Every structure is written in structure tokens, then in C-alpha cells.
Amino acid sequence: MTATPDRLYAITRADLTIGGSKSTVQLSKGCDVTSNGFRFRVDAAGVLTVYSGGVTSATTIELKTAERQPDSDEVLVTVRTGRGISSEISRDIVKKGSNYTVSFSAKRGYTIDALTLEADGKTAYSTPNTNTVFVGSNAYRVSGNSDGCTVYLTDLQSNITVSAESSYDTDHLTVDTSAGSGVRIRKDCGSTVDNGTDIEFEIYVTDDDRYELDEVTLRLDDSSRTVDADATSIRVAGKTCKMETDSDGVLHLYVNDVDKPVYVSATAKRIDTSHSITIKSASHLTISKDISGSSVRDGKDVAFTVKPSSGYTVDDITLKIGTKSNTVSAGASYIRVNGVDYDMTRNSNGNVTVYVDNIENNVTISATAVKSSSVVKPTTGNGANGKIYIDRSVKTPFFVGYNSQFNPKQNLTRAEAVQLLARMTNASGSKYTNSSGFSDVQVNSYYSNALSAFVYGGIVDSSTYFNPNAAITRADFVEMIYRLDTTSDYNGSNRFTDVYSTAPNAAAIAYCSDRGWVRGDPSGTFRPYDYITRAEAAAVVNRTMGRTLSSTDISGIRYTDVPMNFWAYNDILIASGNQR
């Protein structure tokens, strides 16, 4: 076996392993050593030859090298470069009397400032554009400029070291970026800038469904620091640089008054979290979603649409997020699950949409439907018989809140409408036999007595279904008030552009609007088939009963979700208080 080292190195050692037993053989030029049946011979040129009389076990020979020292007829040339400067060599050994050239080039953003030559204990300094530099009695030529230069070493007789020093090219300070997988970095400048320039970097992910920014690194020359992408600043080399993320998720990094080369890099982490989406089937309705697949990535939004079958109406909605769930009337304006409110809307076709935003857990949705009811939609007469009527001497409250909240924007349900309207009639405080016959009304429900009274008085028409948890329309609510206040037909002209004379509730709407109890929109519409909110209902019953702020004791009544600047603030307090 023969091994020839690079001319700058010498073989100094052989590690010999035979059958698990290891030994070391020290080597040098001209040596001839025998160990464990192997002969190691190094000639004058440093070439190693290994001889063996016969290998009987598994054997490994590992050679070690070190930089060699020049022989007596050689000299060592050492080259040193400062930051931003490159050279083809760093060390070389040549014969005495040889000529040798050392070339330097400045990298982008740097300039070569000075050259230093050291030989025979003497040192000389120069600049790139100096023609000749003297080291003792030896003269060496230099050519080039601050971007690149060459030192010509002639008739070398001793070891010599050539060094080049650098400084920033203030007219061309480098600006570099490096983006990891899934990241893009934009800068508002080119690859170099002048000293004192302000730079803005925009850092963002290529796909926010798959990636999110993780870390940002800023390096100013040799100093660097890495911070989390949600940090508000990054401090490097005594300079604090602002970081901010805009509404589109783009991170802006501001590096102002640049006086050093700038390097910005960023990494992203892959988003692997996803959550299941489950739709439970039910009779007489369908539930669809606005995305495909049975799962969504963390933080995404999903809208569910519940569509009832012909002849049915959506009754309630159940939403489960993780292990927490809640059920609300299909007419509600939101559903709260584990402290988070998710918006709900219902259109004129009876379709209910539930908006589940920023999903962070598994989602399950279900719903129920009931047969559509024709309750409170007379074709002739108003249905009232005078047995149940408005009693304006009632002094007790009409509305009751929920745990210090009123839920003013929530749609009023049909059950809530019957209960609150019964409080303003002669039925308040009396018991009525449950003879309504509604299959979807439980005997012990909170509104069952009020509903029985209203069926008894002809305020609500008896039918198979009442749909207690469904939201009540503005027209149906007004129809109840109309029946409570009169047993006569009303032929007044209607003032609303969207209420036709042939509409089922036209008489009720005209009757109540002529008395100032209900008001339309500025556009002249009444929106009869929109649902009435709890706040709107409070305003209507106050006008109907003639209650005012001055006639009502509202001391101590406060709702955390009704601010003083809310349009129905006074009406809500009045409807919740006792009349003096």
C-alpha cells in the first residue's frame, strides 16, 4: 500500500487495528518502522509505503496528517485576509528563489484598505494602489486598486506573510436575504445601498394554510440575532429595529440608517393541525358547508347552512366545539359555545346559516325541524274573543333578563313573545287549563300557561305545532298585540310599501302603526317577515302600554350588554321596571 500526502502536508501517524486490538505508529520522513507484522517506510519525499508478510485477521490502517514545515531549500508563503476579502490561497510552500504572486479581491460591499508584508522579522505596510513596497532590502511590486490587487513576490529567500485588510464600501453596502421553505422576503432596495439608507423588509408565508412564520434573523456585518416572528423589535450591534405585522399577516422589519452590510433571513413552521367537521343528519332538513372535505386546518372559518324541507321550519340548532356544546332557537342571532359567540342568520326562505370562525377544535353541528304552523295568520276577522285583553293598569315588568344580560340583538322567540305579552294582560297571575293541543309544547314549560291563556282568548290559533323556539316575525308579533287590543276588524289604510292590503297581517300592522306603536324604516318599509329582536319588542310594548321613563321605576336595573348609548337603552330599562 502506498500513500502520497498533499505537498503542504506530511503523514505523521498510522493507527493500526488488528482484530479489535489498536496500536499507533509514529512516522516521519526517512523512517522505517515495523509493528505487528507490518513495515512502514517513508521516503525523503514523504511518500509512505506499507508492507505486510501476510494478513491473518481483519486489519484497519488509519493515517493521520499535519501541515509540514518547509525543508531547508523551501520557503513558506502565508496569506491572511480580513472580512470581505478573498484570496486563492492561505498557505503555500515553494522553492527558494522562486517568484510568486498573491492576489486579493474585495467582496461586494467591501474595499481593500491596506496590505501588510512580514519577512525576516521586518514589516512593511502598503495600500492596493502603491506600486512598490519594501520589506528590508527586498522590493515587491503591487498593482490594482481597492476592489482587487496583486502582490508580486520575486526571488523568495525566506518565509513571508502577506495580509490584506478591509473596510465597508459605504457607497455599496450589501443587502442580502435568505428565505426558508414557505417564506418570501421582499425589500424596498437593490442588492446594495448607500450609507445611511433606511430599508423596509416584508416577510410573509407563501401559503397561510400550510405555513406560519417562525423566526427572523437579522445580521449586521458580524453581529446577528434571531427572534420569534411575533416579536415587536430585534436588537443587533446596538441598533434596535422595529417589527410589526399588518392585518394581512405580512411582517414588516425596518432597518434604518444602515452603516453595515445587512442580512435578513426567516423561517416558517409547517401547520399540520387540522380539525374534523361533522354534520349530523336529521329528518326534514339538510345541512351543508361552504368548504369541501371533512376537516379544516387550524384557524380557518366555516359557514354551515341549514335548509328545511318543504312544509317544515328549522326549530333549533346544536353546535359542539370540542367537548362543549349549546343548543339555541333557530331564530337566534348567535350561539354561544364555551364563552365564544358564533353568528347566526335566517333568511326569508327559512334557511339558517351558522358562521364558525377561527376553528381551533373539532366541530359538530346538528339541527331539528318541525312542521310549519299557520298560527297567527288569519284570513278573516282577527280571531280575538275579548276574554284575554291588554290591561294598562298592570305595573309589573314585561321583560326579564338573563344573568345580568338582556341580549338586545337576539331575535325574540315565539315562546318568549307569548310570555312577555301575557304579562301586560288580564291573564297575568291567573292559571289556565292546557287545552292548546300543540304537540311540541310541554305542559310544564315556562310559557305553557301564557300560551293556554292566549289560545283561550283567540290570540293564538290552535294547531298541531306552535314552534316555541322559532323566532317570531315582526308581523306575527304585531298580530298578537292587535288581537289583544280589539275584537273588531280594522280597515285602516296601510302606510308601508312592503305590506299589501291582501297580506294576512295587513289589518294588524295598520292598526298598530296608526296608534304609533310600531314604526317602519326611513325607506317606508315595515319588513313584516323579518324577525323582531328583543330590543325592538321592548320599544313596541312600551308604546303600546304608554309607559315612559318618568312613569317607571328603573332604579337598580342594569344590563352588562346594554350600553347607555344603545338606541333602545331607555326602552329596555322601562320594559324591565315597575310602573309607579
Side-chain angles (χ1 to χ4, degrees):
M1 181 186 79
T2 301
T4 303
D6 183 274
R7 66 189 184 86
L8 297 178
Y9 292 86
I11 300 173
T12 60
R13 193 179 82 194
D15 291 335
L16 183 64
T17 303
I18 301 175
S21 178
K22 183 176 181 180
S23 61
T24 297
V25 180
Q26 301 296 332
L27 303 173
S28 61
K29 279 186 179 181
C31 74
D32 192 341
V33 181
T34 300
S35 176
N36 293 300
F38 288 86
R39 181 184 177 189
F40 296 86
R41 185 167 181 267
V42 182
D43 63 17
V47 177
L48 168 67
T49 303
V50 181
Y51 304 90
S52 174
V55 178
T56 59
S57 300
T59 304
T60 301
I61 301 176
E62 185 177 358
L63 304 179
K64 304 294 182 181
T65 61
E67 290 185 354
R68 77 177 180 89
Q69 296 299 313
D71 294 333
S72 58
D73 62 342
E74 296 175 326
V75 296
L76 173 65
V77 179
T78 303
V79 178
R80 295 173 180 162
T81 57
R83 63 188 176 190
I85 299 178
S86 61
S87 177
E88 293 179 354
I89 63 166
S90 61
R91 184 176 182 274
D92 203 357
I93 296 175
V94 300
K95 292 292 184 181
K96 283 184 179 180
S98 298
N99 297 332
Y100 199 84
T101 59
V102 178
S103 297
F104 299 100
S105 61
K107 298 178 182 178
R108 185 165 52 93
Y110 293 88
T111 60
I112 302 172
D113 272 348
L115 299 174
T116 303
L117 278 68
E118 301 172 78
D120 295 326
K122 297 180 176 58
T123 302
Y125 302 96
S126 177
T127 59
N129 54 3
T130 300
N131 290 329
T132 305
V133 57
F134 291 90
V135 183
S137 60
N138 297 316
Y140 302 111
R141 185 166 64 89
V142 178
S143 67
N145 54 39
S146 59
D147 293 329
C149 65
T150 300
V151 180
Y152 298 91
L153 306 175
T154 56
D155 191 23
L156 287 171
Q157 297 297 323
S158 59
N159 297 342
I160 189 168
T161 299
V162 183
S163 304
E165 301 297 329
S166 65
S167 63
Y168 303 127
D169 182 354
T170 56
D171 294 330
H172 302 90
L173 294 171
T174 58
V175 182
D176 291 320
T177 61
S178 177
S181 298
V183 181
R184 291 287 184 272
I185 303 177
R186 289 199 303 247
K187 59 183 186 290
D188 63 352
C189 64
S191 58
T192 62
V193 296
D194 294 338
N195 187 71
T197 300
D198 296 341
I199 307 174
E200 177 183 354
F201 297 89
E202 293 182 350
I203 308 170
Y204 57 95
V205 294
T206 56
D207 185 347
D208 57 11
D209 284 342
R210 300 174 58 198
Y211 298 96
E212 65 178 358
L213 286 178
D214 186 19
E215 293 183 330
V216 175
T217 298
L218 172 62
R219 189 175 76 218
L220 301 179
D221 194 30
D222 294 332
S223 299
S224 68
R225 188 182 178 194
T226 301
V227 298
D228 290 338
D230 58 359
T232 57
S233 65
I234 182 170
R235 184 171 177 81
V236 182
K239 181 190 292 289
T240 299
C241 302
K242 180 181 178 182
M243 296 170 57
E244 60 182 10
T245 302
D246 62 25
S247 58
D248 293 325
V250 177
L251 173 63
H252 300 262
L253 170 61
Y254 303 93
V255 183
N256 297 331
D257 194 20
V258 171
D259 59 357
K260 298 178 179 67
V262 180
Y263 171 82
V264 173
S265 64
T267 60
K269 54 186 177 182
R270 194 177 183 91
I271 301 174
D272 293 322
T273 303
S274 62
H275 307 291
S276 64
I277 300 297
T278 303
I279 295 175
K280 289 191 174 181
S281 60
S283 301
H284 312 302
L285 60 81
T286 59
I287 304 177
S288 60
K289 59 185 185 299
D290 63 348
I291 63 168
S292 60
S294 59
S295 65
V296 296
R297 293 194 179 278
D298 194 75
K300 298 299 289 182
D301 305 338
V302 177
F304 299 93
T305 299
V306 185
K307 182 178 180 180
S309 302
S310 177
Y312 287 83
T313 182
V314 182
D315 188 24
D316 56 34
I317 303 289
T318 299
L319 182 64
K320 183 178 181 182
I321 308 292
T323 60
K324 305 294 184 180
S325 64
N326 191 20
T327 300
V328 298
S329 162
S333 59
Y334 66 90
I335 181 170
R336 177 172 296 174
V337 181
N338 198 26
V340 179
D341 293 341
Y342 301 98
D343 291 338
M344 294 172 51
T345 60
R346 191 171 193 169
N347 65 16
S348 58
N349 294 325
N351 297 340
V352 178
T353 302
V354 183
Y355 302 90
V356 184
D357 298 335
N358 190 28
I359 294 176
E360 297 178 346
N361 217 319
N362 297 336
V363 178
T364 302
I365 189 169
S366 59
T368 61
V370 295
K371 271 191 173 294
S372 301
S373 171
S374 59
V375 176
V376 196
K377 292 195 182 297
T379 54
T380 58
N382 61 26
N385 54 33
K387 296 178 182 180
I388 303 298
Y389 52 85
I390 291 176
D391 181 359
R392 290 183 171 81
S393 67
V394 173
K395 297 183 179 297
T396 52
F398 309 136
F399 269 95
V400 178
Y402 301 91
N403 298 324
S404 77
Q405 290 189 325
F406 186 79
N407 299 327
K409 297 180 181 179
Q410 182 171 301
N411 293 335
L412 191 73
T413 68
R414 296 172 63 81
E416 289 174 331
V418 167
Q419 180 71 3
L420 80 89
L421 290 177
R423 294 185 180 125
M424 52 189 273
T425 70
N426 63 314
S428 181
S430 300
K431 295 292 184 181
Y432 292 86
T433 302
N434 184 6
S435 59
S436 63
F438 295 115
S439 62
D440 58 353
V441 175
Q442 295 181 357
V443 175
N444 60 350
S445 60
Y446 74 91
Y447 59 88
S448 61
N449 187 68
L451 180 57
S452 296
F454 274 30
V455 171
Y456 168 73
I459 311 305
V460 171
D461 297 334
S462 181
S463 180
T464 304
Y465 298 98
F466 177 65
N467 301 334
N469 295 322
I472 190 168
T473 64
R474 292 162 60 86
D476 283 356
F477 187 71
V478 168
E479 179 72 32
M480 286 187 184
I481 294 177
Y482 169 52
R483 292 187 180 195
L484 286 170
D485 200 56
T486 181
T487 60
S488 303
D489 293 340
Y490 188 70
N491 297 316
S493 60
N494 216 300
R495 65 184 68 185
F496 301 113
T497 59
D498 58 348
V499 179
Y500 304 104
S501 59
T502 56
N505 306 107
I509 295 170
Y511 181 87
C512 293
S513 64
D514 285 347
R515 284 156 179 75
W517 300 343
V518 296
R519 301 167 184 171
D521 293 336
S523 61
T525 60
F526 181 71
R527 297 180 289 113
Y529 299 112
D530 283 0
Y531 301 125
I532 190 168
T533 66
R534 289 170 56 83
E536 291 170 336
V540 171
V541 297
N542 287 338
R543 299 188 200 114
T544 303
M545 295 296 285
R547 287 195 179 184
T548 63
L549 198 61
S550 61
S551 67
T552 309
D553 179 10
I554 63 171
S555 59
I557 302 174
R558 292 293 182 271
Y559 295 110
T560 58
D561 59 349
V562 183
M564 294 185 66
N565 61 352
F566 186 65
W567 72 269
Y569 176 78
N570 288 338
D571 277 313
I572 290 171
L573 297 189
I574 294 169
S576 303
N578 288 291
Q579 191 170 29
R580 294 187 179 96

